[in-house]
Amino acid sequence: MTHKSTMLACEFGITTQAVVNNLTPILLVIFKDNFGISYTLIANLLLINFAVQLITDALSIKIINTFGYRRSGIIAQLCAALGLIFLGFLPHFLPAYPALLLSVVTYAFGGGLLEVMVSPIVDSLDLGHQSARMSMLHSFYCWGQLAVVLISTAAIKIFSGRIWWILPLCWSVIPIINAWLFHIVPIPEISDNEKIKTPRSLLKMPVFITMCILMLCSGAAEITMSQWVSLFAQKGLGINKFLGDLLGPCMFAAFMGIGRMLYGIFGGRLNLKKSLIVCSTLCILCYITAAFSQNPYIALLGCSITGFSVSIMWPGVYSFSSRIIPGGSTAMFSILALSGDIGCSIGSWLCGIISELSLKNTNILAYAQKLSISAEQMGLKIGIGFTALFPLIMLILLIFTKNPEIK
């Protein structure tokens, strides 16, 4: 076993995170129709997923220092697998919503721990250009998301929604296999770096605080569209599930993966600040197009291109932070992941809450009637449009920051 096998295990770890983050959103319409779950409860499911990952991020330094990277990786994979198995079985034996909650909490812990672990492991490998490795690593999230959406949507289309519960059982195979991989691959020694930078010292650095805010905004911009685009395409744009998932989540993941691969190849030649400004601007335009275009296919194209606009945000901040803050190691990646998951939680939750509240506003309902669209469609459009606030904050911060290190 070489460091290439370690890289492969980390790439499968990121793929596992893609599975636990993106399978449930594909099933949201089924949950809503079969179990009568409201948009607020759906938003709460998405919030709890990232809230648990957020808590795990905060505890990850203690967990990893206690168990080490290898055992922590095995625990994370097994928790992700168990949560997916729960998702398939428990709704048949328990009330649906509590069963879904227990499933989400279990796999979210595994996904959150993997998120913190794999980046410092890859950062320590002797395999060439660090920024390219990091971007390539996170491109596996996109390809994992694309596979989850394509395969799951095709299975539901071919075999009908009644077999939805088999899907999480099948996807649980990936973390089960990767638990074995983490048991046998070489894991570099990383713990000595912890003496260099502590969480307290990191949080005293203005440039690191800026990175955390950028991470929060990028998390909200990326995950809100990723989590809501399937339901938005069907209920908000009136596109059938198969075509909506094909042109929505699938194209979103494909564009994000392409963006990350291109950044992995050409990232060393690009000015990161200018690249993030361009991506933030494009992201704002994409969200506005998705929310307010009257042509459903142009709106769906806006959803898809959002994937490209957010592609370099998450790995770019990781790479940049590692370059300017040597010795940050697990503490640095843990706080950055925590910031990103705060954004993921807030963005997805607010989208659902704003959509639900819009359905109760008489002025919005009247405007929806004037546009000849349903109240549900209008509510979802407003929820998606509201999310443009996050890339806007990111854009303003990047433009007006005076820190000379952010280039």
Side-chain angles (χ1 to χ4, degrees), residues 362-405:
T362 55
N363 292 329
I364 291 175
L365 295 178
Y367 189 64
Q369 191 173 22
K370 183 178 179 181
L371 295 176
S372 299
I373 62 175
S374 69
E376 185 177 37
Q377 287 177 308
M378 192 66 191
L380 285 169
K381 284 175 176 288
I382 291 175
I384 290 292
F386 176 83
T387 309
L389 176 67
F390 293 101
L392 177 62
I393 292 173
M394 191 172 186
L395 177 63
I396 293 171
L397 180 62
L398 287 165
I399 291 174
F400 288 100
T401 183
K402 301 296 184 182
N403 195 312
E405 289 182 288

Side-chain angles (χ1 to χ4, degrees), residues 105-320:
V105 169
T106 306
Y107 69 57
F109 172 80
L113 189 54
L114 283 169
E115 178 184 23
V116 175
M117 288 181 50
V118 295
S119 292
I121 291 175
V122 169
D123 188 56
S124 67
L125 298 178
D126 185 19
L127 291 175
H129 197 278
Q130 184 269 346
S131 180
R133 290 200 316 269
M134 193 69 69
S135 190
M136 288 298 181
L137 169 71
H138 286 272
S139 74
F140 271 76
Y141 183 95
C142 311
W143 308 132
Q145 179 183 358
L146 185 61
V148 168
V149 175
L150 276 176
I151 296 173
S152 301
T153 301
I156 292 171
K157 176 71 173 177
I158 295 170
F159 300 105
S160 85
R162 288 176 295 180
I163 60 89
W164 69 266
W165 59 274
I166 297 177
L167 292 172
L169 304 182
C170 294
W171 286 112
S172 69
V173 172
I174 293 177
I176 290 172
I177 292 174
N178 209 33
W180 173 75
L181 275 179
F182 261 89
H183 177 66
I184 63 174
V185 300
I187 303 293
E189 181 59 47
I190 309 172
S191 59
D192 288 343
N193 285 340
E194 296 298 324
K195 300 174 183 177
I196 302 176
K197 290 287 185 295
T198 64
R200 181 174 295 182
S201 64
L202 286 168
L203 292 171
K204 291 180 179 179
M205 302 174 65
V207 67
F208 183 70
I209 295 298
T210 303
M211 293 295 99
C212 289
I213 297 172
L214 293 177
M215 203 70 168
L216 184 151
C217 292
S218 65
E222 175 185 328
I223 295 298
T224 301
M225 184 62 79
S226 173
Q227 296 258 299
W228 282 92
V229 65
S230 177
L231 190 148
F232 177 66
Q234 295 170 71
K235 300 293 187 179
L237 301 177
I239 298 173
N240 71 71
K241 179 172 177 57
F242 180 75
L243 189 59
D245 284 347
L246 184 65
L247 298 178
C250 287
M251 293 304 295
F252 175 92
F255 274 116
M256 187 162 66
I258 290 169
R260 286 180 175 175
M261 286 191 68
L262 290 175
Y263 180 71
I265 296 170
F266 302 108
R269 310 174 194 176
L270 300 176
N271 181 294
L272 182 57
K273 180 178 178 180
K274 291 179 180 178
S275 299
L276 288 172
I277 287 174
V278 171
C279 287
S280 300
T281 304
L282 178 60
C283 191
I284 295 167
L285 295 175
C286 287
Y287 267 102
I288 292 174
T289 300
F292 301 114
S293 175
Q294 296 187 22
N295 185 308
Y297 293 99
I298 292 178
L300 201 54
L301 181 63
C303 296
S304 302
I305 298 178
T306 304
F308 187 85
S309 73
V310 302
S311 62
I312 73 165
M313 293 178 180
W314 196 289
V317 174
Y318 270 167
S319 298
F320 186 70

Side-chain angles (χ1 to χ4, degrees), residues 56-68 72 330 334:
T56 305
D57 293 341
L59 298 175
S60 61
I61 299 174
K62 180 68 173 178
I63 294 171
I64 294 171
N65 286 343
T66 300
F67 295 103
S72 297
T330 307
S334 176

